[in-house]
Amino acid sequence: MRCGKMAAPAAAGAPGGWGGVRRRCQRLLYWVPVLFISSILCWSYYAYVTQLCLLTMTNIGEKVVCLVAYHIFFMLFVWSYWKTIFTLPMNPSKEFHLSYSDKESLEREPRGESQQEVLRRAAKDLPIYTRTMSGAIRYCDRCHLVKPDRCHHCSVCDKCILKMDHHCPWVNNCVGFSNYKFFLLFLAYSLVYCLFIAATDLQYFIKFWTNGLPDTQAKFHIMFLFFAAAMFSVSLSSLFGYHCWLVSKNKSTLEVFRAPIFRHRTDKNGFSLGFSKNLRQVFGDEKKYWLLPVFSSLGDGCSFPTCLVNQDPEQASTPGGLNSTSKNENHLFPAKLLRDSQSHLLTDTPSWSETSANSEKDKVGMNNPALTMENET
């Protein structure tokens, strides 16, 4: 009997223990793509520096120039890749989390006006202007918080990520507000790295096919080095070009597939402030930091300036007869509560006025339409 009683708790604990082992194995598997990229990078270093430059190149000047330029690109590539991987995604600040009493109210009250009132009360002083498809405040029932604009819940990280772009398996991390600049630089420097290798390796690759190289081990490294560099250059150029377009339009990958929904309507260019300001939101105001993988993005990731009306050339007209000179107080995009670090982005925008910003600040949360709680991931 004693043995039976002892076995019961062990059996009860077995599923939990197995679940922990499974989660640890899953986390290890997530690092496989990173290890794959790292192994290719290590091999390319050996093949280029040792086999191509030191053992194959005979011109001393060419050898020195290639080694110096290669190590510069290699350092920037590794630095930006490292920062993209190990920069923790930023999560919403405490002000967006529901209080203990509000969480109890949501759990206790049936779905309906009572829950709507809880969410209205929690969100009335928060700088949020995007909604769900049904017009509800975006609420995460896993993190128990009101989602800031452009924030989404990552199913892999099981967290809400500020300005989430996507979860990238090649860096085993979420790409969002905290590391989007690093991700762009990683794409840029990896593309430059591959193009440089392909360009400087081309003449020796041609010699390989014309039997101009001695039949040594370096011969095969040179051949595969060119193929790998050319192949990655093609894929990286398309991906980097796509993200450059996203930056120019101030969009995320998620917002391309599902446009942000504001209080009055959906607008795919609602966060676009023009090319220059869109670029500065990601890279910052100080140009000396633009090409370095150091954080210089503007804002706090929780609030973003928007255009009052749609001024994007792709959507020249706006519904209801509203345009950039409209004096109607019911703007499509209300003036936002801006963090101090972002407000200067709009100082030279004619359609923004301090009067409308101050009046909207007093009305935040007071004129929301009837909302229904909708969980959105």
Side-chain angles (χ1 to χ4, degrees):
M1 293 296 292
R2 288 178 61 88
C3 294
K5 291 181 179 179
M6 292 291 289
W18 169 248
V21 172
R22 184 177 60 184
R23 285 192 296 272
R24 284 192 291 270
C25 292
Q26 195 174 30
R27 284 196 295 267
L28 289 176
L29 287 176
Y30 288 152
W31 285 101
V32 171
V34 177
L35 294 176
F36 174 73
I37 295 296
S38 300
S39 61
I40 291 180
L41 189 61
C42 292
W43 167 77
S44 67
Y45 184 90
Y46 166 77
Y48 190 88
V49 173
T50 303
Q51 297 294 335
L52 179 59
C53 292
L54 298 181
L55 299 180
T56 304
M57 290 183 181
T58 57
N59 187 295
I60 301 299
E62 179 187 13
K63 185 179 299 188
V64 171
V65 170
C66 287
L67 284 174
V68 171
Y70 173 85
H71 281 91
I72 292 175
F73 297 141
F74 180 82
M75 180 192 69
L76 292 171
F77 178 17
V78 173
W79 187 7
S80 57
Y81 189 45
W82 177 275
K83 293 284 286 186
T84 306
I85 295 173
F86 294 104
T87 298
L88 295 177
M90 287 181 63
N91 311 120
S93 55
K94 291 183 179 180
E95 61 181 326
F96 291 91
H97 288 75
L98 295 186
S99 64
Y100 181 76
S101 59
D102 287 340
K103 285 190 287 187
E104 281 194 331
S105 299
L106 282 177
E107 295 173 357
R108 183 174 58 252
E109 299 292 340
R111 289 183 179 272
E113 186 61 29
S114 299
Q115 287 189 339
Q116 295 172 28
E117 185 60 33
V118 172
L119 292 179
R120 292 193 197 100
R121 185 172 63 250
K124 68 177 182 178
D125 295 323
L126 297 177
I128 55 171
Y129 289 90
T130 54
R131 299 291 186 259
T132 64
M133 294 186 66
S134 64
I137 289 178
R138 303 192 317 128
Y139 171 75
C140 180
D141 60 346
R142 296 183 64 87
C143 300
H144 303 292
L145 56 83
V146 175
K147 292 182 181 180
D149 293 344
R150 316 184 80 176
C151 175
H152 297 274
H153 187 90
C154 176
S155 58
V156 179
C157 299
D158 197 24
K159 294 178 182 178
C160 281
I161 308 299
L162 293 180
K163 196 188 174 184
M164 179 178 174
D165 187 87
H166 68 288
H167 186 93
C168 181
W170 299 108
V171 300
N172 190 28
N173 199 1
C174 258
V175 176
F177 176 76
S178 62
N179 62 351
Y180 187 64
K181 177 191 172 184
F182 305 148
F183 178 73
L184 282 173
L185 292 179
F186 157 63
L187 294 180
Y189 288 130
S190 59
L191 177 59
V192 172
Y193 178 79
C194 291
L195 289 175
F196 175 79
I197 289 178
T200 54
D201 186 39
L202 178 60
Q203 60 174 316
Y204 299 96
F205 177 77
I206 295 174
K207 289 180 180 180
F208 170 83
W209 292 106
T210 57
N211 296 321
L213 289 178
D215 192 10
T216 62
Q217 185 182 12
K219 188 175 182 179
F220 298 98
H221 283 287
I222 290 171
M223 180 185 69
F224 289 116
L225 188 64
F226 179 82
F227 275 129
M231 179 184 65
F232 279 107
S233 295
V234 173
S235 58
L236 286 169
S237 60
S238 59
L239 185 59
F240 178 64
Y242 171 71
H243 279 278
C244 286
W245 176 79
L246 290 180
V247 171
S248 70
K249 292 293 185 179
N250 204 344
K251 296 180 180 181
S252 67
T253 300
L254 293 177
E255 289 167 352
V256 170
F257 290 99
R258 184 169 58 189
I261 304 171
F262 294 86
R263 288 179 176 178
H264 295 80
R265 57 165 287 201
T266 299
D267 193 283
K268 63 179 182 179
N269 297 306
F271 291 108
S272 181
L273 304 175
F275 177 78
S276 176
K277 293 175 183 178
N278 295 342
L279 188 69
R280 285 158 55 195
Q281 268 199 14
V282 176
F283 290 94
D285 289 326
E286 300 188 58
K287 294 182 179 180
K288 62 182 179 181
Y289 296 123
W290 282 13
L291 299 181
L292 297 178
V294 294
F295 185 80
S296 59
S297 301
L298 298 181
D300 57 4
C302 293
S303 65
F304 299 89
T306 65
C307 50
L308 283 176
V309 292
N310 197 330
Q311 299 174 348
D312 193 281
E314 293 179 0
Q315 296 180 345
S317 60
T318 55
L322 290 177
N323 52 49
S324 59
T325 60
S326 175
K327 303 299 182 182
N328 194 329
E329 293 182 358
N330 297 321
H331 296 296
L332 287 179
F333 301 103
K336 297 204 62 175
L337 289 173
L338 300 180
R339 300 296 195 263
D340 292 339
S341 57
Q342 291 181 317
S343 58
H344 71 282
L345 281 173
L346 303 172
T347 54
D348 56 344
T349 304
S351 59
W352 284 79
S353 65
E354 294 182 3
T355 303
S356 62
N358 292 333
S359 62
E360 183 62 27
K361 183 176 181 180
D362 296 334
K363 296 188 293 181
V364 170
M366 302 301 293
N367 57 354
N368 290 352
L371 302 176
T372 56
M373 185 177 73
E374 179 174 312
N375 299 330
E376 180 187 58
T377 56

